[in-house]
Amino acid sequence: MIDKCIASPPGSAKVVVLGTGGTIAGRAAVQGDNLGYRAGEVGVDELLAGIEVPGVALQAEQVANIDSKDMDAGVWRALALRCAHWLAQDVAGIVVTHGTDTLEETAFFLHSVLAPRRPLVLACAMRPATSLAPDGPQNLRDAIGVAATPGAAGVLAVCAGTIHGAQAVQKVHPYRLDAFSSGDLGPLGVIEEGRVTLAQGWPASPPAAPALLQRIAEQAPWPRVEIVLSHAGAGGRLVDALLRERAQDPAVGVQGLVLAGTGNATLHRDLESAAQRAQAAGVTVVRTTRCPFGRVLASGAEALPEAVDLPPVKARIALMLSLMQAG
Ligand code: SIN
């Protein structure tokens, strides 16, 4: 872990910037190539070079430098612990530089585990640092501005001048600079030239769960939760294969299953039967919808438990954490 302190006048609000990689830290062999680059190449101190926010003192730390498609429990553990460390200090807020691909998962994970009362802001970019017109420097500056905003709170994501909350944020576009959406309720607000305008209040954090953070730190491996998609022609073979593997080696076997259902979290009948077999075998099963927007409305007639009001990737994290707390 590299630690760099960037000097600034006494009395400034301190913002800690934790680097984890992503396109914001991406480097292409050919300058201006926005596709053929490697994410997670440029160090966080280099990303901060030239970024100054009046009244803000910056401190940088490199926690990881990866393409966020490869995000795993080890990096999440390290990141959660560094965030917890800094949240216990006298800092105005934290910024985490991150790839866009799993940003919503890391945001939801940190929201669930840390429940911060101060701002913890994820910053990202859709173009690498070597782009002819990189979006990372402005996004990073905006994220620092949000992290230093008095009264700001919770796990947030800032991209293309828009502020999203961890609960609602989703990547919805693979190329556009404004790649994120907060669904039906819309984003929390915007930041323009350092000024924050809110359309909604700062998000409420869940109750703090110090015992969960302890488990995050100590437990390995974390409970295994898989996502299975219902679709035309879906069957139960994937679930049955997971059950066979679990029967052979319970230590690495699946403990939870998220079923990404069609529409109102409905399942192909063959997948539903397999999910019932999984439940009978002791696997915790939850349903949700594969629809990107809207919420699942309970009908009360389902054979499997009520659907959760989270997209599949966040439902996976919620189930993993609840299995951890139960275990
Ligand atoms: C990544 O998620 O690390 C690569 C893609 C991106 O940041 O846009």
Side-chain angles (χ1 to χ4, degrees):
M1 186 171 29
I2 299 161
D3 193 329
K4 188 175 181 206
C5 198
I6 297 154
S8 67
S12 309
K14 180 167 173 174
V15 171
V16 175
V17 183
L18 304 177
T20 71
T23 292
I24 191 169
R27 200 191 316 263
V30 179
Q31 202 208 8
D33 184 349
N34 287 336
L35 295 176
Y37 63 89
R38 286 171 64 95
E41 293 270 305
V42 180
V44 64
D45 48 347
E46 211 178 312
L47 297 184
L48 285 169
I51 294 189
E52 277 172 27
V53 180
V56 177
L58 296 172
Q59 177 151 354
E61 244 182 54
Q62 195 78 50
V63 175
N65 214 352
I66 61 165
D67 186 321
S68 82
K69 72 180 175 53
D70 300 324
M71 184 53 71
D72 59 21
V75 177
W76 270 356
R77 180 184 290 114
L79 180 60
L81 293 175
R82 288 317 290 163
C83 289
H85 165 82
W86 284 113
L87 287 168
Q89 317 294 314
D90 183 20
V91 298
I94 297 174
V95 169
V96 175
T97 58
H98 199 287
T100 59
D101 285 342
T102 58
L103 178 144
E104 69 219 58
E105 296 176 56
T106 298
F108 185 73
F109 170 75
L110 295 174
H111 162 84
S112 308
V113 171
L114 298 172
R117 270 45 178 177
R118 268 171 290 161
L120 196 173
V121 188
L122 280 85
C124 60
M126 291 297 287
R127 291 182 183 154
T130 48
S131 172
L132 289 176
D135 52 332
Q138 185 65 49
N139 285 347
L140 184 51
R141 195 179 194 285
D142 287 346
I144 294 165
V146 171
T149 298
V155 179
L156 310 163
V158 171
C159 185
T162 307
I163 308 167
H164 303 271
Q167 194 96 14
V169 68
Q170 288 190 65
K171 185 173 180 179
V172 292
H173 204 284
Y175 183 72
R176 283 190 201 143
L177 300 189
D178 193 0
F180 289 88
S181 166
S182 283
D184 289 350
L185 295 180
L188 297 176
V190 293
I191 175 159
E192 296 156 321
E193 298 302 318
R195 275 188 301 275
V196 170
T197 307
L198 286 181
Q200 308 172 36
W202 297 110
S205 282
L212 180 58
L213 187 62
Q214 190 74 16
R215 284 201 175 248
I216 296 289
E218 289 168 2
Q219 188 171 329
W222 293 354
R224 178 167 162 209
V225 178
E226 297 285 351
I227 301 173
V228 177
L229 187 79
S230 191
H231 52 86
R237 285 190 194 161
L238 274 179
V239 173
D240 287 333
L242 287 169
L243 292 182
R244 275 195 302 279
E245 191 196 16
R246 175 181 155 98
Q248 276 160 12
D249 190 351
V252 296
V254 69
Q255 288 171 257
L257 209 50
V258 173
L259 302 172
T262 37
N264 201 32
T266 52
L267 302 171
H268 187 289
R269 58 178 176 261
D270 295 341
L271 177 55
E272 183 158 12
S273 302
Q276 285 169 329
R277 289 194 287 281
Q279 258 192 327
V283 176
T284 306
V285 179
V286 302
R287 289 177 302 117
T288 183
T289 180
R290 65 182 208 181
C291 292
F293 299 120
R295 53 177 56 222
V296 178
L297 300 171
S299 75
E302 298 86 2
L304 288 165
E306 284 295 295
V308 294
D309 189 19
L310 289 169
V313 291
K314 292 184 185 177
R316 190 190 81 82
I317 294 165
L319 179 52
M320 181 183 78
L321 296 177
S322 92
L323 289 168
M324 227 175 215
Q325 277 172 311

